Structures are given as structure tokens and as C-alpha cells.
């Protein structure tokens, strides 16, 4: 994997990014298990120096190079400044990363990244790490996870769309946006529109109108309209819903990412995938599709409305 060696074999993988609490580590764990079951050799690389508990089998850990607690203690930095320092330190030590990755040639890579949003919207250190990986013939797709609970708040959802768009433009990788934790969406509150409105990012003027019904946001209607115009003008942002406990949901995400980074699996892997999808439900994956989650959510909301009417 020496720099500039055009003859070396390609390596495929995902850089898993997103804000804190969006489920990046859980995603890496679930995707490692899912891909392992269809016979794909998967190597998980932890690039988060603040990640101390990892449920997955970690092959390469940035903690061997640098950790956030050490940086904060020795350099008297806060968590945000410490994370930026750690990424700049990684950028300055590409040889360490190259040596570690070279031990897993022929594997599929999952890079579990930090949760600091600035690293993906305007700071260059992590972007430069991804660019260096590309020089080593890595074909990567950015998997950007967003917690689905933001769908229940139109203001927050517009903010998420802006962040996702900014991340896509800055990171400069093939991009797949994910609405994570779909199995919990019914606990977050009532959605103003159907789920596909949020995943496909349909006509956002309805979202602005919905915001205008709130006295607080009424004064910011023109600002929201301009933000929505920027999002719609680029026409780049859409989401794939994910329930990490659902085999069908995991398959859809995997195929979306494979399409983005150009990975093409063989007949043996295809047969293994078909066998996995047709197998009886195991303890690790509950065979409930995202559609079923949405239907359950809608039914629970309808029941709540009926109870309110009866009380009146």
C-alpha cells in the first residue's frame, strides 16, 4: 500500500461519521456481524480516541497511538480541542496507520470515526486522512449517521439537513446518509409527515409552513426559506432508514454503500446473503422491517388520538 503504487490492489470500506450518540459504534458492530455472516472479511478500525468501550472486534485502535484523556491532561485542552489535536496527530503519523492497515490486506474496512461535527464540516485533518487513504488505493464511502429523533422536530430536521449537506461537500467522498435508530422512532413523538417525506427529503416548503405555526419560528420564516432553498438547490441530501436489529434494513444499507464505493461481491457472497435473509430469526436480528416500524408508529399515534377523542 505504498503511496503512488498504482499497481497495488484496491481496498474497500466505509468511514462511519456523524454527531455524538448517533449510533456509529453500534452500526460498526452490527455491520461487522452482518458482513461476517455472509463471508466478507471485515476489519474495524477505531479512529475515535475517546472511544474506550468497543463492542466490536477492533483490529486497529488509535488508542495505541494517542488517547483523548492523555491529550486533555498533558496539554490542558478541553474535549473539543483535544479531539482536533488527536486528528492532527494522526495526520502527522500516516506511517503508523499505513503499517497497521497493511496487516489486513484483502479485508473490507470499517472506520469508526469521532463524533465531533466540526471535523466533518470545516476542519481538514480527518478529510486529509481520508484523502491519504485514497492515495493508498482505498475506495471509501462516507456513512453519515443521524439520529431519527430529529424528524420529530422540524427545526432540528432543517438543521440536520444543513449539517449533512455541509458534511457531504467538505468530506468529498461518495456519501450515504443514514437515519439511525428507526426501531425507537415511535418513542420520540409524533411525526408531522410520513416517514418517506424525511428519507426522500421531499418538498421542504411544507416543513417551513409547519414551522411557521410555532410563534417562536414565525419571525424566522424568511431565514428558514433561504436555508431550505440552499438544500433543495444542491439536491444531494436523502436518507436511508436503518434499524440495526433488522436484517432487511442492514442489507439495504450495505447495498447502498457497496454501490457508493464500487464494491462488487461474488457469487459465493451472494448465496450467503440469500441464505442469511431466508434463515429463521435469530437472537441477534429481529426480522421487523422499517415499514413495520412505521406502521406500528402510526397505529400507536392513531390509538392515542382515539383515546383523546373518547376522553372529550
Amino acid at each position: 500500500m505504498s503511496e503512488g503504487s498504482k499497481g497495488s490492489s484496491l481496498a474497500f470500506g466505509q468511514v462511519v461519521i456523524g454527531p455524538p450518540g448517533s449510533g456509529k459504534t453500534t452500526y460498526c458492530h452490527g455491520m461487522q456481524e452482518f458482513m461476517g455472516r455472509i463471508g466478507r472479511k471485515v476489519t474495524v478500525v477505531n479512529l475515535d480516541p475517546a472511544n474506550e468501550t468497543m463492542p466490536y472486534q477492533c483490529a486497529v485502535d488509535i488508542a495505541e497511538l494517542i488517547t483523548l484523556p492523555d491529550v486533555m491532561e498533558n496539554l490542558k485542552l478541553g474535549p473539543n480541542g483535544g479531539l482536533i489535536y488527536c486528528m492532527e496527530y494522526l495526520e502527522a503519523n500516516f506511517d503508523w496507520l499505513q503499517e497497521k492497515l497493511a496487516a489486513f490486506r484483502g479485508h473490507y474496512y470499517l472506520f469508526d470515526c469521532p463524533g465531533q461535527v466540526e471535523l466533518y464540516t470545516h476542519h481538514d485533518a480527518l478529510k486529509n486522512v481520508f484523502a491519504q487513504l485514497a492515495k493508498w488505493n482505498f475506495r471509501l464511502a462516507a456513512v453519515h449517521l443521524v439520529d431519527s429523533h430529529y424528524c420529530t422536530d422540524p427545526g432540528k430536521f432543517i438543521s440536520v439537513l444543513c449539517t449533512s449537506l455541509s458534511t457531504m461537500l467538505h468530506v468529498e467522498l461518495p456519501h450515504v446518509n443514514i437515519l439511525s435508530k428507526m426501531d425507537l422512532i415511535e418513542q420520540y413523538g409524533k411525526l408531522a409527515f410520513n416517514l418517506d417525506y424525511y428519507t426522500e427529503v421531499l418538498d421542504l416548503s411544507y416543513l417551513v409552513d409547519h414551522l411557521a405555526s410555532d410563534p417562536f419560528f414565525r419571525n424566522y420564516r424568511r431565514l428558514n426559506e433561504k436555508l431550505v432553498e440552499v438544500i433543495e438547490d444542491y439536491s444531494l441530501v436523502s436518507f436511508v432508514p436503518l434499524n440495526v436489529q433488522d436484517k432487511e434494513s442492514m442489507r439495504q444499507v450495505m447495498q447502498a454503500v457497496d454501490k457508493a464505493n464500487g464494491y462488487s461481491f461474488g457469487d459465493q457472497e451472494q448465496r450467503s446473503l440469500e441464505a442469511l435473509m431466508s434463515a429463521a430469526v435469530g437472537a441477534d436480528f429481529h426480522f421487523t422491517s422499517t415499514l413495520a416500524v412505521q406502521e406500528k408508529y402510526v397505529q400507536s399515534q392513531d390509538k392515542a388520538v382515539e383515546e383523546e377523542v373518547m376522553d372529550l
Side-chain angles (χ1 to χ4, degrees):
M1 289 198 303
S2 61
E3 186 173 344
S5 59
K6 297 182 180 179
S8 61
S9 60
L10 295 177
F12 293 88
Q14 310 174 19
V15 293
V16 184
I17 62 180
S22 57
K24 296 184 295 298
T25 297
T26 302
Y27 171 87
C28 288
H29 185 208
M31 191 57 73
Q32 181 187 47
E33 285 194 354
F34 187 83
M35 289 183 173
R37 291 189 178 194
I38 62 174
R40 192 178 300 188
K41 296 179 181 178
V42 180
T43 293
V44 182
V45 180
N46 176 43
L47 294 184
D48 185 357
N51 198 351
E52 297 179 349
T53 56
M54 293 166 285
Y56 49 72
Q57 296 178 2
C58 183
V60 180
D61 190 355
I62 193 176
E64 298 176 17
L65 178 69
I66 191 171
T67 66
L68 180 61
D70 288 344
V71 170
M72 293 174 62
E73 180 180 353
N74 296 325
L75 300 180
K76 308 304 178 185
L77 293 173
N80 290 340
L83 271 174
I84 289 176
Y85 180 89
C86 290
M87 293 302 101
E88 291 176 343
Y89 191 81
L90 175 64
E91 182 186 0
N93 289 273
F94 279 141
D95 54 341
W96 173 86
L97 183 61
Q98 184 177 18
E99 181 182 349
K100 291 292 184 180
L101 296 178
F104 301 96
R105 281 195 179 93
H107 286 216
Y108 187 97
Y109 297 83
L110 298 174
F111 293 89
D112 189 2
C113 299
Q116 190 174 355
V117 176
E118 300 96 297
L119 293 171
Y120 314 118
T121 56
H122 57 274
H123 195 269
D124 286 337
L126 205 53
K127 173 185 175 181
N128 293 339
V129 171
F130 300 156
Q132 184 62 50
L133 289 169
K135 292 179 181 178
W136 294 336
N137 281 334
F138 277 77
R139 296 297 179 261
L140 301 172
V143 178
H144 184 212
L145 270 67
V146 175
D147 196 318
S148 60
H149 89 266
Y150 289 117
C151 295
T152 61
D153 187 319
K156 290 180 180 178
F157 187 66
I158 289 179
S159 177
V160 161
L161 292 174
C162 292
T163 302
S164 299
L165 178 59
S166 178
T167 300
M168 295 175 76
L169 296 176
H170 183 73
V171 171
E172 297 180 346
L173 284 176
H175 214 89
V176 178
N177 292 304
I178 304 289
L179 277 180
S180 63
K181 305 180 184 179
M182 289 304 303
D183 51 321
L184 302 177
I185 191 170
E186 63 187 76
Q187 301 177 15
Y188 294 143
K190 186 176 181 180
L191 295 179
F193 306 99
N194 289 334
L195 189 60
D196 60 347
Y197 178 87
Y198 300 93
T199 57
E200 300 302 325
V201 190
L202 302 175
D203 189 350
L204 295 179
S205 62
Y206 292 106
L207 207 61
V208 175
D209 292 338
H210 188 74
L211 272 174
S213 63
D214 187 322
F216 177 80
F217 288 105
R218 193 172 298 140
N219 296 329
Y220 302 98
R221 182 183 181 98
R222 290 198 64 188
L223 173 61
N224 290 323
E225 287 175 345
K226 294 302 179 183
L227 290 174
V228 162
E229 283 180 17
V230 171
I231 296 166
E232 292 184 331
D233 285 346
Y234 276 96
S235 189
L236 290 174
V237 184
S238 62
F239 295 94
V240 179
L242 171 66
N243 172 5
V244 77
Q245 298 295 333
D246 175 16
K247 290 189 293 186
E248 176 60 27
S249 180
M250 291 292 284
R251 181 190 67 82
Q252 291 175 355
V253 170
M254 184 189 73
Q255 291 184 336
V257 177
D258 285 348
K259 183 178 179 180
N261 65 16
Y263 182 87
S264 178
F265 53 80
D267 293 339
Q268 180 61 43
E269 196 169 301
Q270 177 64 37
R271 288 194 293 270
S272 298
L273 178 61
E274 291 173 354
L276 173 62
M277 298 305 297
S278 62
V281 183
D284 294 329
F285 292 96
H286 306 295
F287 200 58
T288 53
S289 66
T290 301
L291 179 59
V293 172
Q294 182 182 2
E295 289 176 348
K296 184 177 180 182
Y297 170 85
V298 172
Q299 290 171 359
S300 64
Q301 292 299 321
D302 291 344
K303 184 178 180 181
V305 172
E306 290 176 2
E307 290 176 351
E308 289 178 4
V309 172
M310 291 180 66
D311 290 339
L312 292 175

